[in-house]
């Protein structure tokens, strides 16, 4: 079985968000324990497993962090669509059936960009949970729940505050576990939109094996409609200000969000396990 390591939401190696991609042979899903062990061995933020169907443009997909199965992952879906484009010559539309979010549609353009069609995650303002300021090591602004996405979205004062944040990851893990949420998104408006992005964010999910995610596609299903409503625009670009960084181009279409980016294959190999 071939293994692919892909950097997503970037057009150059060693940036964006790395994802493992395994295209499984036809049949049924392998045991969950085996897939979890593979994801732990690969030890990247997410590893995607794609199972073919009789239709070459329809696949089932599941995602695993090094420690748990994820319910949704944008960058690993983009990485899988990129892999199918480069290995199976599947340009155009490919559909992925997921266990928790129905059918997710991707579209690969001739220029190499890939657009994901994901459900939007509505944000609802909520009181800050106890200990959030200590976990973030800063004074948080307004906080929001993200519905079925399961994250806590936190406003910070400005872009500099997002970039310079040094949270207590052990405290974040304890807080998210206690509150039953996946992770914490911190965000602010871009200091200078002429630099090519409208808002910045970072994402922390240490309890799920992801101390800081380099570029989180799924988080942008909440960030895009959240900022679109405040800026009165439907198309925005988000910069995830992790050390690796990455750009996510977004378009809000009613209850859906389109996420567009590029991907680069870093290595391919044979899985012997």
């Amino acid at each position: 079985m071939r293994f692919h390591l892909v950097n997503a939401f970037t057009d150059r190696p060693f940036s964006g968000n790395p994802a493992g991609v395994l295209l499984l042979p036809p049949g049924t899903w392998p045991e969950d324990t085996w897939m979890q062990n593979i994801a732990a061995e690969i030890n990247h933020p997410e590893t995607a497993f794609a199972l073919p169907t009789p239709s070459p443009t329809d696949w089932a997909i599941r995602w695993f962090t090094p420690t748990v199965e994820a319910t949704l992952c944008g960058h690993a879906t983009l990485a899988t669509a990129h892999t199918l484009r480069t290995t199976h010559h599947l340009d155009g539309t490919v559909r992925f059936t997921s266990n928790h979010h129905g059918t997710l549609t991707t579209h690969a353009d001739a220029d190499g960009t890939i657009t994901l069609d994901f459900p939007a995650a509505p944000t609802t303002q909520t009181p800050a949970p106890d200990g959030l300021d200590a976990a973030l090591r800063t004074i948080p602004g307004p906080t929001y729940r993200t519905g079925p996405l399961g994250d806590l979205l936190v406003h910070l004062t400005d872009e500099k505050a997002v970039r310079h944040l040094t949270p207590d990851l052990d405290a974040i893990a304890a807080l998210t576990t206690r509150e039953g949420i996946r992770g914490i998104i911190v965000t602010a408006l871009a200091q200078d939109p002429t630099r090519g992005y409208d808002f910045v964010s970072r994402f922390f999910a240490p309890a799920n094996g992801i101390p800081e995610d380099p570029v989180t596609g799924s988080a942008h299903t909440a960030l895009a409609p959240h900022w679109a409503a405040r800026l009165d625009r439907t198309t925005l670009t988000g910069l995830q200000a992790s050390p690796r960084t990455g750009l996510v181009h977004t378009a809000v279409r009613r209850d859906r969000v389109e996420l567009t980016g590029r991907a680069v294959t870093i290595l391919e190999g044979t899985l012997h396990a």
Side-chain angles (χ1 to χ4, degrees), residues 247-262:
L247 287 173
V248 183
H249 303 283
T250 71
V252 179
R253 311 293 188 206
R254 296 184 180 178
D255 62 346
R256 309 290 294 183
V257 177
E258 294 178 354
L259 310 173
T260 300
R262 295 179 178 270

Side-chain angles (χ1 to χ4, degrees), residues 10-21:
T10 185
D11 58 0
R12 53 193 173 86
F14 315 121
S15 61
N17 202 352
V21 177

Side-chain angles (χ1 to χ4, degrees), residues 156-180:
L156 298 186
T157 54
D158 53 31
E159 178 176 337
K160 184 181 295 185
V162 173
R163 288 182 178 274
H164 292 173
L165 192 70
T166 57
D168 181 337
L169 293 176
D170 289 337
I172 287 182
L175 185 152
T176 54
T177 300
R178 184 191 76 220
E179 297 292 327

Side-chain angles (χ1 to χ4, degrees), residues 4 26 76 116 122 140 152 166 169 199 217 232 261 270:
H4 309 266
L116 315 178
L152 184 72
T166 57
L169 293 176
F199 60 87
D232 195 25
T270 301

Side-chain angles (χ1 to χ4, degrees), residues 159 162-163 186-190 197-202 227 239 241:
E159 178 176 337
V162 173
R163 288 182 178 274
V186 296
T187 187
L189 284 173
Y197 54 91
D198 302 288
F199 60 87
V200 297
S201 67
R202 291 171 69 187
W227 285 117
L239 172 74

Side-chain angles (χ1 to χ4, degrees), residues 86-100:
T86 57
T87 63
H88 288 53
H89 309 291
L90 290 182
D91 292 313
T93 299
V94 175
R95 290 168 294 275
F96 294 99
T97 302
S98 67
N99 288 340
H100 298 275

